[in-house]
Amino acid sequence: MSEALLKILIIEDSVDDYDLLVMQIRRAGYKLNSKRIESREELINSLEDLWDLVISDNSLPQFNAQEALKITRSKNFFLPFIIVSGTIGEEAAVSAMRAGANDYIFKGNLNRLLPAIEREVRESDNKIKKIKIEKKLEQSEKMYRFLSGSIQDVFIALDADFNVTFWNEHAQNEFAIGNEVIKTPIFKVLPAFENKKLKSLLGQVLHERKSQHFEFQHGTHKYFEGSIYPTEEGITIIAKNVTEQRQVKENLIKINNELETLMYRISHDLKGPVASIKGLINIGMKDFNENKEVQLLLKMFDNSTLMLNNTLNELLNITRIKQGQIKPDPFDLSLLLNDVINSLKFSDGFDDVEIKLEECEDIEILSDKRLFRSVIQNLLENAIKYRSKDKSRKFIRIYASKEKNISTLCIEDNGQGIPLKLQKNIFEMFYRANESSQGSGLGLYIVKSALDKLNGIVNLNSKEGCGSTFIIKIPDLNDLWG
Ligand code: ADP
């Protein structure tokens, strides 16, 4: 303290008394910056400067300490003000202290002055610091309230015992509960948090200090989704009302299911008439076997009917995939591949292509065999169908591997390949990337739908004119699946 520079404003008409005071303070080792004044005007002007302390004589010819104190307080509420008086008067001292003076000291006992100066300067410093901190706190609280009030999400702050410490306006509106919930455990405020899973999630965020995504239902018809974050005091919850999005999603699922059912019904009901047409074509072929022109027409008719029948079968297959239950069973991959290859023996172009099975032995997959078979079948059919007519040696290479419980199967061909700009669409329904395709454009859609159902994925590497590789990854499914 004694090393510090003290700035003291001294109200004193006696130059001798002023000098004595200054000497005493300096003698105690202080560096002093002081100024002597003796009128009201001087005081008002001097208070524009920064002072650590004001010392005032009790009575001056044109002025007194009480008035000086009043003026000082009106300008600076915290500036320490010590009255130094030539007379001992208890009453004067009491009334000065009442008026807000920090101390009252008798001129004959100036020894008391130094400790008083030290104490008051220190306290005033502390007061100023405290006020600054309080102001900062108030500002950041204001900002906190402003921010949490302006976000259109529910914002709830909890302490480490999960009591609500803050609850924004949006939360009040959503849950129709006001600020009376402050200090109440969140489990009592929102019954959804009584749920074991949510309760343990709160604990997890608090102890592991890692945010978590969560969702909950409030009452019978409100749904919320959001995140829980760790904070210094406990945790905060920020959540969005997703009731409307959920309803839209539920409606979409419903409409989608209805469309799938409609697709199934139409394909199913059309299969009967298509079979009749096919029967009639066969009769026509026999009855008009002499007439070449009619035979040609009936052959064309037959081809179209075959295509229509294939499309109907594929549509039925899609609805079965989408709506059917999954039955995981372990199966040997190479056996399944050989089985599918055998079933394709009589398809157009099969003999033209060399099919090589490499590294597929001893891989067992736990999944729905029927669905996975349709994936392989469609990919192999395409690899044969879209073989390159220009290449003398056409091949399909099949290789697989398994790591942990994920199996990877690659079906590579050196066929026509798929132009880069069309590759992003080929898994869409009814999409054909080839003008010469006679297909329904449903094969790869079936592949994708089946893999979606099996939690698998399919990727494509293809270059026009060089060939394509379809890479499938599927996980083993456990018995509880479905
Ligand atoms: P499509 O009935 O036309 O065969 P798919 O859904 O099975 O329908 O395939 C979509 C398109 O992707 C096909 O029209 C074809 O252009 C392309 N395609 C699929 N597989 C291959 C492949 N192995 N090689 C080249 N093109 C392919």
Side-chain angles (χ1 to χ4, degrees), residues 127-140:
K127 261 187 219 156
I128 289 168
K129 268 186 203 147
K130 198 171 155 225
I131 282 167
K132 274 188 185 158
I133 290 171
E134 277 172 1
K135 256 207 174 135
K136 256 195 176 165
L137 208 70
E138 198 183 313
Q139 273 172 350
S140 68

Side-chain angles (χ1 to χ4, degrees), residues 379 382-383 385-386 413 416-418 426 428 431-434 437 439-445 468 470:
L379 292 177
N382 279 347
K385 213 172 9 169
Y386 299 109
D413 64 55
Q416 300 169 19
I418 304 165
I426 55 162
E428 284 171 14
Y431 189 83
R432 286 182 293 200
N434 196 314
S437 166
S440 55
L442 289 170
L444 291 183
Y445 182 72
S468 312
F470 285 86

Side-chain angles (χ1 to χ4, degrees), residues 244-348:
E244 217 171 291
Q245 286 100 304
R246 230 183 142 108
Q247 271 162 1
V248 170
K249 197 172 154 197
E250 272 166 17
N251 276 346
L252 274 177
I253 291 172
K254 201 171 145 236
I255 292 170
N256 213 22
N257 284 340
E258 283 169 4
L259 278 176
E260 273 169 15
T261 309
L262 182 73
M263 188 165 91
Y264 182 81
R265 279 240 61 87
I266 294 174
S267 336
H268 184 265
D269 291 357
L270 282 178
K271 275 194 67 87
V274 169
S276 306
I277 294 170
K278 204 146 172 41
L280 289 171
I281 292 169
N282 285 342
I283 294 172
M285 291 267 206
K286 273 189 199 139
D287 286 1
F288 298 97
N289 61 349
E290 301 290 306
N291 189 331
K292 287 235 160 74
E293 223 169 282
V294 172
Q295 284 284 317
L296 190 70
L297 276 175
L298 285 175
K299 185 79 199 131
M300 285 160 70
F301 206 7
D302 193 39
N303 276 344
S304 299
T305 314
L306 193 72
M307 277 163 63
L308 179 58
N309 198 43
N310 284 344
T311 305
L312 291 179
N313 280 339
E314 281 175 343
L315 286 173
L316 281 172
N317 204 1
I318 289 169
T319 40
R320 279 190 200 116
I321 290 171
K322 294 213 166 210
Q323 295 183 346
Q325 284 284 318
I326 288 177
K327 291 189 200 89
D329 248 333
F331 59 85
D332 183 277
L333 179 64
S334 66
L335 285 182
L336 181 66
L337 285 164
N338 278 310
D339 199 22
V340 176
I341 294 168
N342 272 331
S343 75
L344 294 173
K345 261 190 180 143
F346 302 105
S347 62
D348 185 31

Side-chain angles (χ1 to χ4, degrees), residues 311 314 378-388 396 411-419 422-423 425-447 460 462-463 467-470:
T311 305
E314 281 175 343
N378 276 293
L379 292 177
L380 284 179
E381 274 174 3
N382 279 347
I384 297 170
K385 213 172 9 169
Y386 299 109
R387 64 194 179 278
S388 172
I396 299 171
I411 299 181
E412 177 189 332
D413 64 55
N414 68 340
Q416 300 169 19
I418 304 165
L422 305 182
Q423 289 180 17
N425 300 320
I426 55 162
F427 293 99
E428 284 171 14
M429 212 172 183
F430 300 117
Y431 189 83
R432 286 182 293 200
N434 196 314
E435 280 169 14
S436 65
S437 166
Q438 298 278 307
S440 55
L442 289 170
L444 291 183
Y445 182 72
I446 290 176
V447 168
L460 167 68
S462 183
K463 198 169 172 210
S468 312
T469 307
F470 285 86

Side-chain angles (χ1 to χ4, degrees), residues 467-481:
S468 312
T469 307
F470 285 86
I471 304 140
I472 297 156
K473 284 188 188 290
I474 63 157
D476 279 348
L477 304 174
N478 62 38
D479 293 330
L480 299 170
W481 184 263

